Amino acid sequence: MDLATLWFGLIVFFWSSYFVLEGFDFGVGVLARVLGRTESERGTLLSTIGPFWDGNEVWLVVAGGATFAAFPGWYASLTSAYYLPLVVILVALILRGVALEFRGKHDDRTWRRRCDLGIAVGSALPPLAWGIALAGAAHGLPLDARGVLVGGLGELLRPYAVLGGLALLAMCLLHGAVFLRLRTTGALRDRAGRAVVATAMPAIVLGGGFLAWTGVREGPAEWLVLIAGAGLLAGVLVRRDGWAFLATTVAVGLTVVAVFASAFPALMPSTLGHDLTIMNAASPAYGMRILTWAGALFVPAVLAYQGWSYWVFRKRVVG
């Protein structure tokens, strides 16, 4: 296997890890405002992601940095084409992070309600915008020979891309509801169970529709689509919390993998015939070798740290 193909696979792993881990964070951030009837209950629901959410965002840094280092042409075209959605994502993540950090710093009901609203909005916008960006980029954009987008905002909001954004948001809500059912007790767990039922239909309809559309496109994504769809259904139907969370994890992760795989070996197909591929967008071989050594040193450290943190904070949160 050449280094360009290896790093494409690793970058897909990094992006799927980000959406799996941040996916339930996003879902909890939206659902906490709905399921928590008091400030104390909302605080308890948000405490389920307290030890994890900022560590989960490390995968965004890893994925973005690896994309820039391994495929600078891909990174440049993606960030220039989706400049506005990326700004929305960054502002939303800043709003969410500030609200999570400062919610408990001021003992005022109005302040906490505003923070809860900021957390909800900051958790809903990123999966929607990321889904639109990644699905649209994999589906194809009018890129010229320089990798520059020809056209306006309408080119970014094609039906497949919009469905991808809505599907990822719906799946994150289901993923978050299953996580809350896994991590809470008593009345909050009962409400989380009802949230699983409430979020199931949008996730199945939007996620299933997006997976079906992805599966009929050219590319080696058919089996990934089938397994992701099975995971989506299992997450709804399985009653054991741990297995249900594993199922939604598989569904979210393989949906992201299927999007990337559907365009392989292209990174960003061009409707004008100027595709960015893993070969013409890759860094020189020397840079790839340095990146590989760096990845061999640091990626296992990130995995070990995150595994340790999830093990330490594995118990249910009691309100």
Side-chain angles (χ1 to χ4, degrees):
M1 180 185 296
D2 61 272
L3 290 181
T5 304
L6 171 64
W7 272 100
F8 173 76
L10 288 173
I11 288 170
V12 172
F13 170 74
F14 296 154
W15 280 111
S16 60
S17 297
Y18 170 68
F19 288 113
V20 164
L21 297 175
E22 276 284 85
F24 68 75
D25 283 353
F26 291 143
V28 170
V30 176
L31 294 173
R33 183 173 171 82
V34 179
L35 301 182
R37 296 176 181 173
T38 64
E39 290 183 16
S40 176
E41 287 185 345
R42 288 191 287 273
T44 299
L45 292 171
L46 291 174
S47 70
T48 62
I49 61 172
F52 310 125
W53 71 268
D54 49 354
N56 292 340
E57 289 187 346
V58 169
W59 289 105
L60 176 59
V61 178
V62 173
T67 303
F68 171 76
F71 300 100
W74 185 17
Y75 182 90
S77 294
L78 187 65
T79 53
S80 63
Y82 287 97
Y83 183 83
L84 181 58
L86 289 175
V87 169
V88 171
I89 290 168
L90 290 176
V91 171
L93 290 177
I94 292 170
L95 175 64
R96 172 174 169 264
V98 170
L100 282 168
E101 290 289 349
F102 288 92
R103 183 183 185 275
K105 303 298 184 182
H106 183 42
D107 189 14
D108 179 77
R109 181 175 299 179
T110 302
W111 169 258
R112 291 185 176 176
R113 285 180 177 175
R114 289 174 179 173
C115 286
D116 291 340
L117 178 60
I119 293 168
V121 173
S123 297
L125 288 178
L128 177 64
W130 275 126
I132 290 173
L134 294 182
H139 192 65
L141 293 172
L143 302 175
D144 63 18
R146 300 173 297 160
V148 176
L149 178 70
V150 178
L153 185 62
E155 299 292 343
L156 308 181
L157 299 177
R158 294 183 175 182
Y160 179 78
V162 174
L163 180 59
L166 294 174
L168 185 58
L169 175 58
M171 293 174 73
C172 286
L173 291 176
L174 174 62
H175 196 35
V178 173
F179 179 78
L180 284 176
R181 195 176 66 181
L182 173 67
R183 293 275 292 158
T184 54
T185 61
L188 288 178
R189 182 177 180 276
D190 293 337
R191 276 181 238 157
R194 291 193 289 271
V196 171
V197 176
T199 57
M201 187 56 68
I204 290 173
V205 172
L206 295 171
F210 178 70
L211 286 168
W213 195 339
T214 302
V216 300
R217 296 182 57 220
E218 293 184 3
E222 291 83 0
W223 286 105
L224 295 172
V225 164
L226 291 175
I227 298 172
L232 185 61
L233 290 175
V236 175
L237 299 176
V238 173
R239 304 307 302 170
R240 296 187 64 178
D241 297 341
W243 286 107
F245 183 68
L246 177 61
T248 56
T249 295
V250 170
V252 173
L254 288 189
T255 297
V256 177
V257 174
V259 170
F260 284 100
S262 66
F264 185 83
L267 301 173
M268 289 181 68
S270 171
T271 57
L272 303 179
H274 305 291
D275 292 357
L276 287 176
T277 69
I278 63 171
M279 298 311 299
N280 63 25
S283 291
Y286 178 72
M288 282 289 196
R289 287 195 294 271
I290 294 177
L291 181 62
T292 301
W293 281 109
L297 290 174
F298 292 109
V299 172
V302 174
L303 290 170
Y305 164 75
Q306 287 223 302
W308 173 81
S309 66
Y310 276 92
W311 175 257
V312 170
F313 298 103
R314 66 188 182 278
K315 294 182 180 179
R316 293 180 185 267
V317 173
V318 180

